Amino acid sequence: MFEALLNASDEEKMRFIVAVMKSSEAGQLLESGNHAAGIAAYREAIALCPPCPTQGDYHLLLGCHFFAEGDVAAAEAEILQALPGEGCSYPYEAHRRLAFVRAALGRFPEALSDLAMAAELGEDAAFVAQATAIYHLALGEIDAAEAAVAPRADHADCDLAARCRLALVRAEIARLQGDAAGCAANCTYLAEMAGSDGLGAELGLSLAVLDRADGRPAPRDVVAKAFADQPDWAAKAWTILLEGKSAIDLMEDLESLSWGERAENLCQFHRLAGLLAETQGDVAAARRHYQAARSEPFTQWCLDHHLAGMALAQLEGA
Protein backbone atom coordinates (compact mmCIF):
# COMPACT_ATOMS: atom_id res chain seq x y z
CA MET A 1 0.00 0.00 0.00
CA PHE A 2 2.92 2.33 0.66
CA GLU A 3 4.29 1.95 -2.89
CA ALA A 4 1.33 3.96 -4.18
CA LEU A 5 2.36 6.85 -1.94
CA LEU A 6 6.07 6.97 -2.81
CA ASN A 7 5.49 9.76 -5.32
CA ALA A 8 2.65 11.37 -3.42
CA SER A 9 2.78 14.94 -2.19
CA ASP A 10 3.43 15.75 1.46
CA GLU A 11 -0.23 16.69 1.79
CA GLU A 12 -1.36 13.29 0.47
CA LYS A 13 1.03 11.49 2.79
CA MET A 14 -0.35 13.43 5.75
CA ARG A 15 -3.91 12.64 4.67
CA PHE A 16 -2.96 8.97 4.51
CA ILE A 17 -1.61 9.04 8.08
CA VAL A 18 -4.74 10.78 9.36
CA ALA A 19 -6.92 8.28 7.48
CA VAL A 20 -5.11 5.37 9.12
CA MET A 21 -5.65 6.92 12.54
CA LYS A 22 -9.31 7.56 11.76
CA SER A 23 -9.81 3.96 10.58
CA SER A 24 -8.29 2.70 13.83
CA GLU A 25 -10.76 4.88 15.73
CA ALA A 26 -13.58 3.52 13.56
CA GLY A 27 -12.66 -0.06 14.41
CA GLN A 28 -12.61 0.69 18.13
CA LEU A 29 -15.98 2.40 17.96
CA LEU A 30 -17.58 -0.50 16.13
CA GLU A 31 -16.07 -2.99 18.55
CA SER A 32 -17.52 -1.03 21.47
CA GLY A 33 -20.98 -1.17 19.88
CA ASN A 34 -21.11 2.48 18.80
CA HIS A 35 -22.10 1.63 15.24
CA ALA A 36 -23.23 5.04 14.02
CA ALA A 37 -20.02 6.76 15.16
CA GLY A 38 -17.90 3.90 13.81
CA ILE A 39 -19.52 4.06 10.38
CA ALA A 40 -19.08 7.85 10.31
CA ALA A 41 -15.40 7.46 11.22
CA TYR A 42 -14.89 4.98 8.38
CA ARG A 43 -16.56 7.42 5.99
CA GLU A 44 -14.09 10.09 7.14
CA ALA A 45 -11.15 7.71 6.67
CA ILE A 46 -12.30 6.92 3.13
CA ALA A 47 -12.72 10.61 2.29
CA LEU A 48 -9.30 11.49 3.73
CA CYS A 49 -7.31 8.63 2.23
CA PRO A 50 -5.63 9.35 -1.13
CA PRO A 51 -6.46 6.90 -3.94
CA CYS A 52 -4.59 3.69 -3.06
CA PRO A 53 -5.43 0.10 -2.07
CA THR A 54 -5.82 1.17 1.56
CA GLN A 55 -8.82 3.29 0.62
CA GLY A 56 -10.34 0.18 -0.94
CA ASP A 57 -9.57 -1.74 2.24
CA TYR A 58 -11.69 0.74 4.22
CA HIS A 59 -14.60 0.22 1.85
CA LEU A 60 -14.19 -3.55 2.30
CA LEU A 61 -14.03 -3.32 6.09
CA LEU A 62 -17.12 -1.13 6.17
CA GLY A 63 -18.91 -3.54 3.84
CA CYS A 64 -18.03 -6.44 6.14
CA HIS A 65 -19.49 -4.52 9.08
CA PHE A 66 -22.75 -3.88 7.21
CA PHE A 67 -22.95 -7.56 6.30
CA ALA A 68 -22.37 -8.63 9.91
CA GLU A 69 -25.28 -6.42 10.93
CA GLY A 70 -27.55 -7.81 8.22
CA ASP A 71 -27.60 -4.76 5.92
CA VAL A 72 -26.71 -6.64 2.77
CA ALA A 73 -27.60 -3.84 0.33
CA ALA A 74 -25.20 -1.44 2.05
CA ALA A 75 -22.59 -4.21 2.24
CA GLU A 76 -22.77 -4.80 -1.50
CA ALA A 77 -22.44 -1.09 -2.26
CA GLU A 78 -19.32 -0.74 -0.12
CA ILE A 79 -17.60 -3.89 -1.34
CA LEU A 80 -18.18 -2.92 -4.97
CA GLN A 81 -16.35 0.34 -4.24
CA ALA A 82 -13.36 -1.67 -3.00
CA LEU A 83 -12.73 -3.16 -6.45
CA PRO A 84 -12.37 -0.46 -9.15
CA GLY A 85 -9.57 2.09 -9.48
CA GLU A 86 -6.69 1.30 -7.14
CA GLY A 87 -8.69 -1.60 -5.75
CA CYS A 88 -7.89 -3.08 -2.35
CA SER A 89 -5.03 -5.05 -0.83
CA TYR A 90 -6.79 -8.40 -1.09
CA PRO A 91 -9.15 -8.44 -4.07
CA TYR A 92 -9.84 -12.16 -3.66
CA GLU A 93 -11.31 -11.43 -0.24
CA ALA A 94 -13.49 -8.69 -1.71
CA HIS A 95 -14.92 -11.13 -4.26
CA ARG A 96 -15.40 -13.78 -1.56
CA ARG A 97 -17.32 -11.31 0.59
CA LEU A 98 -19.29 -10.18 -2.44
CA ALA A 99 -20.28 -13.81 -3.03
CA PHE A 100 -21.67 -14.00 0.51
CA VAL A 101 -23.63 -10.79 0.03
CA ARG A 102 -25.15 -11.85 -3.27
CA ALA A 103 -26.05 -15.26 -1.89
CA ALA A 104 -27.74 -13.57 1.08
CA LEU A 105 -29.75 -11.64 -1.51
CA GLY A 106 -30.66 -14.88 -3.31
CA ARG A 107 -28.53 -14.07 -6.37
CA PHE A 108 -26.71 -17.38 -6.56
CA PRO A 109 -25.41 -17.29 -10.17
CA GLU A 110 -23.68 -13.99 -9.34
CA ALA A 111 -22.34 -15.50 -6.11
CA LEU A 112 -20.86 -18.39 -8.10
CA SER A 113 -19.20 -15.93 -10.50
CA ASP A 114 -17.72 -14.03 -7.58
CA LEU A 115 -16.33 -17.25 -6.11
CA ALA A 116 -14.75 -18.13 -9.45
CA MET A 117 -13.12 -14.71 -9.55
CA ALA A 118 -11.93 -15.08 -5.96
CA ALA A 119 -10.33 -18.40 -6.88
CA GLU A 120 -8.64 -16.82 -9.90
CA LEU A 121 -7.22 -14.08 -7.67
CA GLY A 122 -5.80 -16.49 -5.10
CA GLU A 123 -8.54 -17.49 -2.65
CA ASP A 124 -8.08 -20.84 -0.88
CA ALA A 125 -9.22 -23.58 -3.28
CA ALA A 126 -10.87 -25.72 -0.59
CA PHE A 127 -12.81 -22.73 0.70
CA VAL A 128 -14.01 -21.88 -2.80
CA ALA A 129 -15.01 -25.51 -3.42
CA GLN A 130 -17.26 -25.79 -0.35
CA ALA A 131 -18.88 -22.40 -0.93
CA THR A 132 -19.41 -23.22 -4.62
CA ALA A 133 -21.16 -26.44 -3.62
CA ILE A 134 -23.50 -24.55 -1.27
CA TYR A 135 -24.68 -22.20 -4.00
CA HIS A 136 -25.18 -25.06 -6.45
CA LEU A 137 -27.34 -26.70 -3.78
CA ALA A 138 -29.28 -23.45 -3.50
CA LEU A 139 -30.03 -23.72 -7.21
CA GLY A 140 -31.05 -27.37 -6.86
CA GLU A 141 -27.96 -28.52 -8.78
CA ILE A 142 -26.90 -31.46 -6.63
CA ASP A 143 -24.68 -33.05 -9.29
CA ALA A 144 -22.79 -29.78 -9.72
CA ALA A 145 -22.47 -29.47 -5.95
CA GLU A 146 -21.05 -32.98 -5.75
CA ALA A 147 -18.57 -32.20 -8.51
CA ALA A 148 -17.47 -29.04 -6.71
CA VAL A 149 -16.49 -30.92 -3.55
CA ALA A 150 -14.80 -33.86 -5.30
CA PRO A 151 -11.30 -34.48 -3.85
CA ARG A 152 -8.53 -32.67 -5.70
CA ALA A 153 -4.76 -32.86 -5.37
CA ASP A 154 -4.42 -29.10 -4.90
CA HIS A 155 -6.58 -29.20 -1.75
CA ALA A 156 -3.77 -30.89 0.19
CA ASP A 157 -2.01 -27.57 0.81
CA CYS A 158 -5.17 -25.62 1.61
CA ASP A 159 -6.17 -24.17 4.96
CA LEU A 160 -7.09 -26.92 7.44
CA ALA A 161 -10.35 -25.27 8.51
CA ALA A 162 -11.39 -24.97 4.85
CA ARG A 163 -10.56 -28.63 4.20
CA CYS A 164 -12.57 -29.66 7.26
CA ARG A 165 -15.52 -27.60 6.10
CA LEU A 166 -15.20 -29.14 2.64
CA ALA A 167 -15.35 -32.64 4.16
CA LEU A 168 -18.51 -31.70 6.06
CA VAL A 169 -20.20 -30.42 2.90
CA ARG A 170 -19.15 -33.60 1.11
CA ALA A 171 -20.70 -35.66 3.91
CA GLU A 172 -23.95 -33.69 3.75
CA ILE A 173 -24.18 -34.13 -0.02
CA ALA A 174 -23.64 -37.88 0.34
CA ARG A 175 -26.45 -37.98 2.92
CA LEU A 176 -28.75 -36.05 0.58
CA GLN A 177 -28.15 -38.67 -2.09
CA GLY A 178 -28.96 -41.50 0.29
CA ASP A 179 -25.33 -42.61 0.53
CA ALA A 180 -25.12 -43.36 4.26
CA ALA A 181 -21.75 -45.07 3.91
CA GLY A 182 -20.32 -42.11 2.02
CA CYS A 183 -21.63 -39.70 4.64
CA ALA A 184 -20.09 -41.76 7.47
CA ALA A 185 -16.77 -42.09 5.62
CA ASN A 186 -16.52 -38.34 5.14
CA CYS A 187 -17.40 -37.73 8.80
CA THR A 188 -14.60 -40.08 9.83
CA TYR A 189 -12.21 -38.40 7.41
CA LEU A 190 -13.15 -35.01 8.83
CA ALA A 191 -12.54 -36.18 12.42
CA GLU A 192 -9.19 -37.72 11.55
CA MET A 193 -8.04 -34.71 9.54
CA ALA A 194 -8.99 -32.26 12.28
CA GLY A 195 -7.65 -34.45 15.08
CA SER A 196 -4.08 -33.21 15.15
CA ASP A 197 -4.94 -29.52 15.20
CA GLY A 198 -8.33 -29.55 16.88
CA LEU A 199 -11.80 -28.89 15.59
CA GLY A 200 -13.90 -25.74 15.76
CA ALA A 201 -16.89 -26.17 18.07
CA GLU A 202 -19.41 -25.12 15.42
CA LEU A 203 -18.08 -27.68 12.95
CA GLY A 204 -17.95 -30.18 15.80
CA LEU A 205 -21.65 -29.55 16.49
CA SER A 206 -22.58 -30.46 12.92
CA LEU A 207 -20.36 -33.54 13.02
CA ALA A 208 -21.85 -34.66 16.35
CA VAL A 209 -25.40 -34.40 15.02
CA LEU A 210 -24.59 -36.20 11.76
CA ASP A 211 -23.00 -38.98 13.80
CA ARG A 212 -26.02 -39.09 16.13
CA ALA A 213 -28.36 -39.38 13.15
CA ASP A 214 -26.17 -42.24 11.91
CA GLY A 215 -26.57 -44.10 15.22
CA ARG A 216 -23.36 -43.11 17.04
CA PRO A 217 -24.48 -42.62 20.68
CA ALA A 218 -21.72 -40.29 21.89
CA PRO A 219 -19.59 -37.61 20.20
CA ARG A 220 -16.19 -38.61 18.88
CA ASP A 221 -13.23 -37.75 21.09
CA VAL A 222 -12.19 -34.90 18.82
CA VAL A 223 -15.68 -33.36 19.10
CA ALA A 224 -15.81 -33.78 22.88
CA LYS A 225 -12.41 -32.07 23.09
CA ALA A 226 -13.63 -29.18 20.93
CA PHE A 227 -16.64 -28.67 23.18
CA ALA A 228 -14.45 -28.78 26.29
CA ASP A 229 -11.81 -26.42 24.87
CA GLN A 230 -14.35 -24.01 23.36
CA PRO A 231 -17.28 -23.74 25.79
CA ASP A 232 -19.19 -21.33 23.56
CA TRP A 233 -22.70 -21.39 22.09
CA ALA A 234 -22.04 -24.51 19.99
CA ALA A 235 -20.98 -26.59 22.98
CA LYS A 236 -24.08 -25.48 24.87
CA ALA A 237 -26.23 -26.13 21.80
CA TRP A 238 -25.20 -29.78 21.82
CA THR A 239 -26.56 -30.21 25.36
CA ILE A 240 -29.72 -28.29 24.49
CA LEU A 241 -30.29 -30.48 21.43
CA LEU A 242 -29.87 -33.66 23.46
CA GLU A 243 -32.30 -32.41 26.09
CA GLY A 244 -34.83 -31.26 23.51
CA LYS A 245 -34.82 -27.69 24.81
CA SER A 246 -35.68 -24.52 22.87
CA ALA A 247 -33.33 -22.18 21.02
CA ILE A 248 -34.39 -19.57 23.59
CA ASP A 249 -31.97 -21.27 25.98
CA LEU A 250 -29.14 -20.25 23.63
CA MET A 251 -29.90 -16.55 23.40
CA GLU A 252 -27.77 -15.49 26.36
CA ASP A 253 -24.75 -17.09 24.70
CA LEU A 254 -25.51 -15.36 21.39
CA GLU A 255 -26.06 -11.87 22.76
CA SER A 256 -22.43 -10.81 22.37
CA LEU A 257 -22.37 -11.76 18.67
CA SER A 258 -23.30 -9.59 15.73
CA TRP A 259 -26.81 -9.81 14.29
CA GLY A 260 -25.51 -11.80 11.32
CA GLU A 261 -23.64 -14.32 13.45
CA ARG A 262 -26.72 -14.88 15.58
CA ALA A 263 -28.83 -15.48 12.49
CA GLU A 264 -26.27 -17.92 11.06
CA ASN A 265 -25.90 -19.82 14.34
CA LEU A 266 -29.65 -20.09 14.89
CA CYS A 267 -30.05 -21.36 11.34
CA GLN A 268 -27.50 -24.09 12.07
CA PHE A 269 -29.14 -24.94 15.40
CA HIS A 270 -32.63 -25.29 13.95
CA ARG A 271 -31.50 -27.35 10.96
CA LEU A 272 -29.64 -29.75 13.23
CA ALA A 273 -32.58 -29.90 15.64
CA GLY A 274 -34.77 -30.72 12.66
CA LEU A 275 -32.44 -33.51 11.58
CA LEU A 276 -32.48 -35.06 15.07
CA ALA A 277 -36.27 -34.77 15.29
CA GLU A 278 -36.66 -36.36 11.86
CA THR A 279 -34.32 -39.18 12.86
CA GLN A 280 -36.48 -39.78 15.93
CA GLY A 281 -39.65 -39.88 13.82
CA ASP A 282 -41.08 -36.58 15.09
CA VAL A 283 -42.04 -35.13 11.72
CA ALA A 284 -44.00 -32.20 13.16
CA ALA A 285 -41.04 -31.03 15.24
CA ALA A 286 -38.68 -31.58 12.32
CA ARG A 287 -40.86 -29.45 10.08
CA ARG A 288 -41.01 -26.63 12.66
CA HIS A 289 -37.25 -26.57 13.07
CA TYR A 290 -36.57 -26.70 9.33
CA GLN A 291 -38.96 -23.81 8.76
CA ALA A 292 -37.25 -21.84 11.55
CA ALA A 293 -33.88 -22.49 9.91
CA ARG A 294 -35.18 -20.73 6.79
CA SER A 295 -37.06 -17.91 8.50
CA GLU A 296 -34.31 -15.33 7.91
CA PRO A 297 -33.50 -14.76 4.21
CA PHE A 298 -30.07 -13.42 5.18
CA THR A 299 -28.94 -16.98 5.91
CA GLN A 300 -29.29 -17.95 2.25
CA TRP A 301 -25.49 -17.69 2.13
CA CYS A 302 -25.27 -20.58 4.66
CA LEU A 303 -25.27 -24.33 4.06
CA ASP A 304 -27.87 -25.14 6.72
CA HIS A 305 -30.48 -22.83 5.15
CA HIS A 306 -30.50 -24.93 1.98
CA LEU A 307 -30.19 -28.30 3.70
CA ALA A 308 -33.28 -27.36 5.72
CA GLY A 309 -35.13 -26.47 2.52
CA MET A 310 -34.30 -29.79 0.90
CA ALA A 311 -35.33 -31.64 4.05
CA LEU A 312 -38.66 -29.81 4.06
CA ALA A 313 -39.23 -30.71 0.43
CA GLN A 314 -38.56 -34.38 1.20
CA LEU A 315 -41.00 -34.30 4.14
CA GLU A 316 -43.68 -32.72 1.98
CA GLY A 317 -43.15 -35.33 -0.72
CA ALA A 318 -43.19 -38.25 1.71
Side-chain angles (χ1 to χ4, degrees):
M1 59 184 174
F2 295 107
E3 291 82 353
L5 297 172
L6 288 176
N7 298 318
S9 66
D10 290 343
E11 179 189 357
E12 288 176 320
K13 292 175 182 176
M14 182 57 67
R15 284 170 51 202
F16 178 83
I17 293 171
V18 176
V20 170
M21 294 172 63
K22 184 59 68 172
S23 72
S24 178
E25 177 189 343
Q28 292 172 3
L29 287 166
L30 292 179
E31 188 174 349
S32 70
N34 195 341
H35 299 297
I39 291 169
Y42 262 127
R43 298 281 190 217
E44 288 184 61
I46 291 168
L48 285 166
C49 190
C52 66
T54 301
Q55 188 182 59
D57 294 344
Y58 297 155
H59 279 295
L60 179 56
L61 287 167
L62 186 52
C64 291
H65 169 73
F66 283 131
F67 184 77
E69 295 304 318
D71 190 345
V72 288
E76 182 179 31
E78 289 298 330
I79 297 172
L80 284 172
Q81 291 189 72
L83 292 170
E86 298 291 336
C88 59
S89 300
Y90 303 100
Y92 64 84
E93 181 177 357
H95 280 285
R96 168 166 58 90
R97 299 285 182 172
L98 200 53
F100 295 164
V101 167
R102 286 169 167 168
L105 291 166
R107 290 153 47 189
F108 302 111
E110 290 176 73
L112 287 167
S113 295
D114 286 314
L115 286 173
M117 180 59 70
E120 185 177 324
L121 293 170
E123 182 57 87
D124 185 277
F127 179 89
V128 170
Q130 59 88 28
T132 297
I134 293 170
Y135 303 144
H136 279 304
L137 287 178
L139 292 167
E141 300 167 350
I142 296 181
D143 289 344
E146 184 179 26
V149 298
R152 286 171 31 185
D154 62 343
H155 289 163
D157 297 325
C158 289
D159 175 72
L160 176 61
R163 285 185 285 135
C164 288
R165 180 70 174 170
L166 180 59
L168 176 69
V169 176
R170 193 180 296 131
E172 291 282 13
I173 291 174
R175 190 183 62 80
L176 282 173
Q177 295 183 316
D179 182 4
C183 178
N186 278 293
C187 286
T188 297
Y189 172 68
L190 163 58
E192 292 174 349
M193 178 169 51
S196 60
D197 291 292
L199 183 73
E202 292 180 17
L203 196 61
L205 178 61
S206 291
L207 177 56
V209 172
L210 279 179
D211 278 342
R212 186 84 171 187
D214 192 40
R216 181 184 287 265
R220 300 170 193 258
D221 289 344
V222 67
V223 174
K225 185 177 186 302
F227 289 160
D229 293 345
Q230 305 164 53
D232 58 10
W233 80 270
K236 185 173 181 179
W238 172 244
T239 301
I240 290 173
L241 286 170
L242 290 184
E243 295 175 354
K245 292 183 179 179
S246 166
I248 294 174
D249 295 288
L250 270 181
M251 295 314 296
E252 183 178 349
D253 296 77
L254 299 177
E255 281 181 356
S256 63
L257 303 179
S258 69
W259 182 92
E261 287 177 302
R262 287 196 299 273
E264 178 188 0
N265 294 342
L266 286 170
C267 174
Q268 180 184 4
F269 173 86
H270 281 296
R271 202 282 294 193
L272 295 176
L275 175 56
L276 286 178
E278 186 178 358
T279 302
Q280 295 161 1
D282 191 343
V283 175
R287 185 177 287 111
R288 286 196 304 272
H289 280 297
Y290 289 145
Q291 289 170 343
R294 293 173 58 82
S295 63
E296 178 48 66
F298 171 83
T299 61
Q300 289 180 100
W301 72 282
C302 304
L303 173 65
D304 290 290
H305 182 104
H306 304 294
L307 293 176
M310 292 181 171
L312 273 173
Q314 289 177 347
L315 288 178
E316 295 301 328

